[in-house]
Amino acid sequence: MIKSYIPKRMMISKIKQNIRSKILSLSISKIFKKNRQKTNEKINVLEFGPGYGDLAKELVNAFNIKNYYFIDHSQENLEHIRDNIKIKNVHCICHDANHLISNVLEENFDIVISSHVIEHLKEPEKHLKDFSNLMNINGLGLISTPNLDSIDAINLGMDWRGYKDEAHISLMSYEELEKLILDKNF
C-alpha cells in the first residue's frame, strides 16, 4: 500500500516546511537568475515528490511558470496538489520513480527537483540519469535526501528517523551522492 503524505499536519511542521520552502525558493531564484540572460522568461519546472506542494507555491511566486509538472507515486497526493495549488498549466503524473520518465516526456525543464525520492529507490543511479535527461542544458537541479553524515544521523544512530523509515532503502552520505552526480556528468 502506498503511504499517504497528505493527512493534516501539525502547525509546527507546517511552519517549518513553509520556512524551508521560502529559503529554497529564494536560493533557487538567486542562482537561476545569476545564470540566465532573461530574468522574466517563462520556465518549465518538474518536481519529483512534491509532498504538500509548499515549494511549488513559493516557486510560482518567484518565477514566470510556463508549465509545472508534478511527479508522484501517489494519485492521492497529486489530487491534493491539483486541488490546493493554483498554477496554470499544471501537469500531474502518477509515476514510480524507479522507472524512467524521461523517455515518455517530450519536454525539457529549466528547474528539476527531486525531494526525498532517491532514498526510496532501488537504483538511485537510474533516477539521476532520468533527472539529467530532463534538464535543459542550462537547467538547475535540486536533490534533497536524508544525509548519513548529518549531526542527527551521527548522534542518534539507529534512532535517527532516516533509519527508522523502512522505505529508505538507498540512504547515502553527501559524498556518495556527490560522486553519483559527478559520474552522471552534471
Side-chain angles (χ1 to χ4, degrees):
M1 182 172 159
I2 294 175
K3 181 179 175 184
S4 172
Y5 292 94
I6 59 170
K8 292 278 185 193
R9 293 188 277 184
M10 292 189 322
M11 184 56 74
I12 191 73
S13 175
K14 191 174 185 177
I15 292 168
K16 283 170 49 178
Q17 188 60 40
N18 194 308
I19 291 168
R20 177 183 177 269
S21 295
K22 286 182 186 302
I23 291 167
L24 283 173
S25 177
L26 181 62
S27 298
I28 290 168
S29 181
K30 283 182 180 179
I31 293 167
F32 191 84
K33 290 176 181 174
K34 180 180 171 184
N35 295 323
R36 293 290 180 125
Q37 301 296 324
K38 301 176 193 172
T39 56
N40 201 22
E41 68 183 300
K42 287 186 173 252
I43 65 167
N44 290 321
V45 179
L46 181 140
E47 186 173 357
F48 289 97
Y52 291 88
D54 298 306
L55 180 56
K57 289 177 189 173
E58 295 300 324
L59 291 176
V60 166
N61 291 331
F63 291 96
N64 190 1
I65 304 293
K66 180 178 179 183
N67 291 292
Y68 205 118
Y69 283 72
F70 293 101
I71 311 291
D72 200 282
H73 68 268
S74 168
Q75 188 62 43
E76 183 183 19
N77 244 38
L78 293 170
E79 288 169 9
H80 174 80
I81 296 276
R82 191 177 291 125
D83 294 344
N84 291 288
I85 298 179
K86 304 305 174 203
I87 303 174
K88 291 181 182 179
N89 298 321
V90 65
H91 308 273
C92 294
I93 301 171
C94 191
H95 174 77
D96 180 349
N98 280 297
H99 307 285
L100 296 178
I101 195 163
S102 57
N103 55 3
V104 177
L105 294 176
E106 294 184 11
E107 298 244 17
N108 280 27
F109 298 88
D110 302 291
I111 300 174
V112 179
I113 301 159
S114 179
S115 183
H116 291 271
V117 172
I118 199 166
E119 66 270 16
H120 298 276
L121 305 178
K122 295 172 192 151
E123 299 176 78
E125 307 83 13
K126 195 182 224 181
H127 183 60
L128 291 174
K129 178 182 178 187
D130 216 17
F131 194 95
S132 176
N133 289 343
L134 291 163
M135 278 187 357
N136 282 335
I137 291 172
N138 293 323
L140 180 67
L142 171 70
I143 299 172
S144 61
T145 185
N147 180 359
L148 288 176
D149 294 332
S150 71
I151 292 170
D152 280 349
I154 293 166
N155 289 338
L156 297 173
M158 294 311 289
D159 287 332
W160 177 52
R161 69 181 185 167
Y163 289 132
K164 286 185 169 187
D165 188 335
E166 293 175 7
H168 288 175
I169 60 173
S170 294
L171 289 169
M172 60 189 91
S173 68
Y174 176 83
E175 285 180 1
E176 290 169 319
L177 178 59
E178 182 181 47
K179 182 179 178 343
L180 283 176
I181 290 169
L182 293 174
D183 287 348
K184 296 295 172 202
N185 295 320
F186 273 93

